[in-house]
């Protein structure tokens, strides 16, 4: 039998992240990414995987308008701060910003050339801006209310700008502006046919028909030759967006095939357009006869209601480029991608992809199916969203509950059907089939919100529910038909008043003989099935119990409580076997993994913890959530984890134990090989390679030994320089860290100062200041360098007294000219060869005096001068760092000393060309 391998680490893969909270958005010309407003920030989302590619931080105000340039390289944004920002998407930096409106900017449009930007604001004004210069070219006034939409004519030769507004009362207008002239008032036409806010405008492919839609339930077609009303189409719903269909798109091809098959040939001037609105359905119209060619039969949207009672289905729509279909945005922050096909004499609108921008609070989740390729989520909504883990798009939605869904569970029936059971605040439980996305059973009988459900594990022919009415019910799944069109009424096999307070969780034993329930009354009860006879009660928690789970191998139950603890209980006598402490807040979920030898838990502190049952040890703690983690799901086969919580984020966790062991073994093997290369380089006296290898291995002690050995050899500078020239900013930062540590010890300071001297010779200060965190490192170098300078200065001054005494005793003659070695190291002085005519006694005297003056030799004089220069250079670099952090100080008048240090850049960089003395 294969030995059980405990898990030691999980790797987090962010699966679902919040990227759209409603409001403005912009789609790239090829449809590859979407720019979304997410509260006060901007998210750039990959439309294929719903992953966030990058985030642009705003100005702490809610974003009100977004638009992309035609080449998708520039993004324009505005917020309630009235600041208009220009973002370079290649660098993700704001390159320009300005203010122009007296109120928030509500809409934006970029002309086809990308050189002009039009903005409409709540101040009733329309402004046109030069993108490169950032100045206003046109200032248009005339609207009587908030400007809701603006649009440039798609033909650059027709320099026209269209804007729509809600002028108040029963009046809403579309105005046409001429931007070919620089006059202040250039309104060439006022199109007045709407009686409510104009929400969307579009231009036909030929450029001579303008479409305007509003909440007055009409779409108006305007002739741009004379700006007359060609036709008014009554839609019988508040229209939020209208899109013209180009002739060469798949939508137009399918519509032409449909018209030809129905023997209704469209005229040469027929125009197809799409409307979406409050009903949440897509409709396609023809301008010829103002007829609806296609109407979606069933809505893919959960209609929401505003505070004023109006319904909101779709809020916007756009035709995607490169013939990719239609994109519709819903009021509940969903992006729906549609394609239109004509098959068997019918038009079919297919939902190809669904991206959910905001999931709200995730309260429960489970994997779906044996292959565990789907994940079902229960959020603060009346529906269940099922996601495809491969693309993280919402595959389908289960709707039927009238209140928020609180809990769910999944199973695969004996017949192979993927079933989902849900409990809701509407006091009902519903049974769903995932393949048909239909409800096949409804259980009515609870008098309170259903907060917990669980399927049977072995026979899978019943499920258990717990409610806030303190009762526990067992529901039979007998009588379910494979092709039933209407849901059946589920029957309760057994009912028991289980607790004194709300039931938070239920679990069924692996052999279907027992069921356990946890409640806010701080107890967990085990009941024998099918009659729900009490077996044992677990008492000991000081707060309500949020999770219960049977061990897959032992006769025990694990519970998680609001008292920050996890406990394991024996079913035989109800005793507490183990207690796990470590969470700093309520533990909301605790589940067995690794055949019952480990526990994974999550809590209100936002942490996910991995525990070993045998040792009571917390193996790992993960902090990848910003709020409470309510939901935790474990895959039955792969034991992949999924977590979700109040931060609307869903994370997937993959077992990386084997991968980490392989990676550690590989790194150890590489370290052994590198260590052998280091020894070979030392034996070959290849110090340059040895320094590089020691640095790659992150061995500071070995690196110090190499530098110390080089200090005692001639030509050390060349070896060190060749090694240091290959260093990047990150390597230099680490080297400065090593130097700072060496410099704190007097025994190691000579080597650290030698390496610091070579670094300053190779790299100019302007490059050093670019290193991340170098300021803190240099601040640690300066005081110790000053201390070493003072110590050497005292030694040098003490040798002057010895020189004076020996000269006064006529033991030696004062030197008229000293010859100092150009090398800073080695520190041991070289004794100049005495004159050949000197006697042996004179030679012995000079040797003794040289030994006496060992610590006061001319090399220390050189070291003293170089230390002074290095301290000045360190201080100068700190000045550069301060000026870099505070650009306002650039115009400060420097002192005489700083002017001397900062004379020219070349003087700083060419410090290595100065005399060493």
């Amino acid at each position: 039998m294969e030995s059980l391998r405990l898990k030691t680490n999980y790797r987090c893969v962010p699966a679902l992240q919040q990227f759209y909270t409603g409001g403005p958005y912009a789609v790239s010309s090829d449809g590859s990414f979407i720019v979304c407003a997410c509260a006060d920030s901007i998210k750039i989302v990959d439309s294929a995987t719903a992953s966030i590619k990058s985030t642009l931080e705003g100005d702490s105000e809610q974003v009100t308008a977004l638009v992309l340039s035609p080449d998708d390289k520039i993004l324009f944004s505005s917020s309630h701060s009235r600041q208009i920002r220009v973002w370079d998407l290649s660098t993700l930096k704001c390159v320009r910003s300005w203010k122009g409106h007296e109120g928030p900017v509500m809409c934006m449009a970029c002309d086809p050339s990308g050189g002009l930007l039009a903005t409409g604001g709540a101040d009733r004004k329309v402004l046109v801006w030069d993108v490169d210069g950032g100045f206003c070219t046109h200032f248009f006034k005339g609207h009587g209310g908030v400007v809701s939409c603006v649009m440039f004519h798609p033909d650059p030769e027709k320099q026209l700008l269209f804007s729509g507004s809600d002028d108040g009362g029963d009046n809403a207008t579309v105005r046409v502006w001429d931007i070919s002239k620089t006059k202040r008032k250039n309104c060439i036409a006022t199109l007045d046919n709407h009686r409510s806010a104009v929400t969307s405008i579009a231009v036909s492919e030929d450029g001579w028909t303008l479409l305007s839609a509003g909440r007055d339930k009409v779409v108006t077609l305007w002739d741009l030759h004379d700006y007359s009303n060609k036709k008014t189409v009554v839609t019988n719903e508040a229209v939020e967006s209208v899109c013209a269909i180009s002739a060469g798109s798949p939508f137009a091809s399918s519509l032409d095939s449909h018209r030809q098959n129905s023997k209704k040939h469209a005229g040469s001037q027929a125009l197809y357009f799409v409307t979406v609105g409050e009903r949440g359905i897509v409709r396609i119209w023809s301008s010829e006869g103002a007829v609806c060619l296609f109407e979606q039969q069933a809505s893919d949207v959960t209609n929401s209601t505003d505070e004023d009672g109006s319904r909101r289905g779709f809020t916007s729509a756009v035709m995607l480029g490169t013939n990719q279909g239609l994109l519709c945005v819903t009021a509940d922050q969903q992006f729906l991608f549609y394609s239109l096909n004509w098959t068997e004499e019918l038009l079919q609108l297919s939902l190809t992809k669904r991206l959910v921008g905001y999931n709200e609070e995730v309260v429960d989740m489970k994997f779906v199916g044996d292959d565990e390729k789907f994940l079902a989520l229960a959020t603060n909504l009346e529906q269940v969203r099922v996601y495809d883990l491969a693309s993280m798009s919402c595959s389908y939605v289960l709707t039927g509950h009238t209140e928020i869904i609180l809990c769910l569970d999944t199973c695969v029936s004996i017949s192979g059907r993927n079933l989902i059971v849900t409990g809701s605040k509407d006091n009902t439980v519903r049974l769903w089939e995932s393949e048909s996305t239909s409800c096949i059973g409804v259980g009515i009988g609870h008098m309170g919100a259903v907060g917990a459900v669980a399927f049977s594990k072995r026979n899978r022919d019943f499920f258990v529910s717990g409610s806030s009415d303190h009762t526990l019910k067992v529901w039979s799944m007998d009588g379910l038909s494979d092709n039933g069109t209407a849901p059946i009424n589920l029957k309760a096999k057994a009912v028991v008043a289980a607790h004194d307070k709300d039931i938070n969780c239920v679990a069924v034993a692996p052999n279907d003989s027992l069921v356990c329930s946890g409640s806010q009354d701080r107890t967990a009860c085990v009941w024998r099935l099918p009659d729900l006879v009490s077996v044992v009660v677990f008492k000991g928690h000081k707060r309500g119990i949020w999770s219960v789970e049977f061990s897959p191998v032992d006769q025990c139950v694990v519970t998680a409580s609001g008292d920050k603890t996890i406990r394991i209980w024996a079913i035989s006598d109800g005793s507490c076997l183990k207690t796990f402490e470590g969470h700093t807040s309520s533990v909301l979920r605790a589940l067995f993994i690794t055949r019952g030898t480990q526990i994974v838990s999550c809590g209100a502190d936002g942490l996910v913890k991995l525990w070993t049952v045998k040792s009571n040890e917390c193996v790992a703690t993960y902090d990848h959530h910003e709020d409470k983690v309510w939901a935790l799901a474990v895959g039955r086969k792969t034991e992949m984890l999924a977590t979700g919580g109040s931060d609307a984020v869903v994370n997937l966790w993959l077992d990386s134990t084997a991968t980490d062991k392989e990676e550690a073994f590989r790194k150890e093997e590489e370290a052994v090989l590198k260590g052998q290369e280091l020894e070979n380089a030392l034996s070959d006296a290849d110090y340059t390679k040895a320094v590089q290898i020691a640095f790659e291995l992150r061995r500071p002690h070995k690196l110090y030994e190499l530098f110390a050995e080089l200090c005692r050899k001639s030509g050390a500078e060349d070896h060190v320089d060749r090694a240091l020239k290959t260093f990047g900013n990150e390597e230099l930062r680490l080297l400065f860290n090593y130097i700072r540590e060496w410099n704190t010890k007097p025994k190691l300071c000579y080597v650290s100062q030698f390496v610091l001297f070579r670094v300053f010779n190779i790299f100019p200060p302007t490059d050093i200041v670019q290193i991340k965190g170098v300021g803190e490192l240099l601040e640690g170098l300066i005081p110790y360098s000053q201390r070493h300078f003072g110590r050497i200065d005292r030694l040098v001054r003490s040798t002057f007294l010895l020189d004076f005494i020996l000269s006064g005793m006529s033991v030696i003659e004062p030197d008229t000219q000293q010859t100092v070695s150009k090398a800073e190291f080695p520190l041991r002085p070289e004794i100049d060869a005495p004159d050949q005519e000197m006697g042996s006694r004179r030679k012995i005297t000079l040797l003794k005096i040289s030994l006496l003056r060992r610590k006061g030799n001319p090399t220390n004089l050189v070291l003293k001068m170089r230390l002074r220069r290095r301290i000045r250079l360190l201080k100068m670099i700190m000045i550069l760092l301060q000026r870099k952090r505070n650009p306002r100080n650039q115009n400060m008048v420097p002192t005489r000393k700083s002017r001397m240090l900062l004379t020219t850049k070349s003087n700083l960089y060419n410090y290595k060309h100065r005399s060493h003395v």
Side-chain angles (χ1 to χ4, degrees), residues 44 90 98 103 160 188 363 549 551 554 664 666 692 744 789 826 889:
I44 301 177
S90 59
W98 66 84
L160 298 177
I188 58 177
V363 296
E549 179 77 8
S551 171
D554 296 325
R666 185 185 61 81
Q692 293 176 348
T744 58
F789 173 78
N889 296 336

Side-chain angles (χ1 to χ4, degrees), residues 185-199:
K185 297 182 179 180
N186 307 84
C187 181
I188 58 177
T190 300
L191 312 180
D192 186 3
N193 187 51
H194 290 281
R195 295 297 174 262
S196 185
V198 178
T199 56

Side-chain angles (χ1 to χ4, degrees), residues 85 280 368 418 452 625 654 898:
R85 295 175 180 268
V368 180
N418 291 326
H625 286 275
L654 305 178
S898 61

Side-chain angles (χ1 to χ4, degrees), residues 35 40 93 371 483 565 605 701 729:
V35 181
D40 59 349
K93 293 183 178 180
D371 51 4
N483 53 1
T565 64
D605 51 7
H701 183 69
N729 284 351

Side-chain angles (χ1 to χ4, degrees), residues 268-328:
S268 59
Q269 300 298 324
L271 171 65
Y272 301 132
F273 58 92
V274 178
T275 61
V276 297
E278 64 178 2
R279 292 171 57 190
I281 60 174
V282 178
R283 294 197 285 181
I284 304 176
W285 305 78
S286 174
S287 62
E288 184 182 3
V291 295
C292 180
L293 301 179
F294 173 81
E295 180 175 348
Q296 195 177 11
Q297 297 301 319
S299 175
D300 296 314
V301 184
T302 302
N303 289 332
S304 60
T305 304
D306 286 342
E307 295 179 356
D308 57 359
S310 61
R311 293 187 304 168
R312 296 196 65 192
F314 288 120
T315 60
S316 179
V318 60
M319 295 297 298
L320 299 177
T322 64
N323 300 328
Q324 292 184 2
L326 175 69
L327 170 63
C328 299

Side-chain angles (χ1 to χ4, degrees), residues 522-596:
R522 298 176 290 181
T523 64
C525 300
V526 177
W527 311 84
R528 181 172 288 108
L529 292 171
D531 300 328
L532 294 180
V533 178
S534 179
V535 176
V536 68
V537 178
F538 303 133
K539 296 182 179 180
H541 281 294
K542 300 178 181 179
R543 294 289 185 273
I545 296 175
W546 290 103
S547 174
V548 293
E549 179 77 8
F550 283 94
S551 171
V553 293
D554 296 325
Q555 296 291 320
C556 60
V557 174
V558 62
T559 60
S561 170
D563 60 5
K564 311 176 188 178
T565 64
I566 303 168
R567 294 175 184 246
I568 295 180
W569 309 83
I571 299 177
S572 58
D573 56 0
S575 61
C576 180
L577 302 177
K578 287 181 179 292
T579 301
F580 302 86
E581 296 180 352
H583 281 280
T584 58
S585 188
S586 300
V587 186
L588 302 176
R589 287 288 188 276
L591 301 176
F592 281 107
I593 59 173
T594 323
R595 301 180 191 172

Side-chain angles (χ1 to χ4, degrees), residues 736-750 752-753 756 776-794 863-864 866-868 870-872 874-875:
F736 273 116
N737 191 22
Y738 292 159
I739 293 174
R740 182 183 64 175
E741 297 300 323
W742 298 339
N743 199 47
T744 58
K745 300 175 177 61
K747 293 183 179 180
L748 311 180
C749 69
Y750 295 101
S752 66
Q753 291 295 328
L756 186 64
E776 181 181 356
L777 298 174
L778 296 183
E779 287 177 357
L781 276 170
I782 292 176
Y784 281 98
S785 297
Q786 291 175 336
R787 181 180 299 180
H788 300 322
F789 173 78
R791 179 170 51 84
I792 294 177
D793 182 60
R794 290 192 299 271
L863 183 60
K864 172 185 173 182
R866 289 183 176 174
L867 272 173
R868 181 186 290 116
R870 288 169 206 164
I871 294 172
R872 290 181 179 177
L874 285 170
K875 292 182 178 179

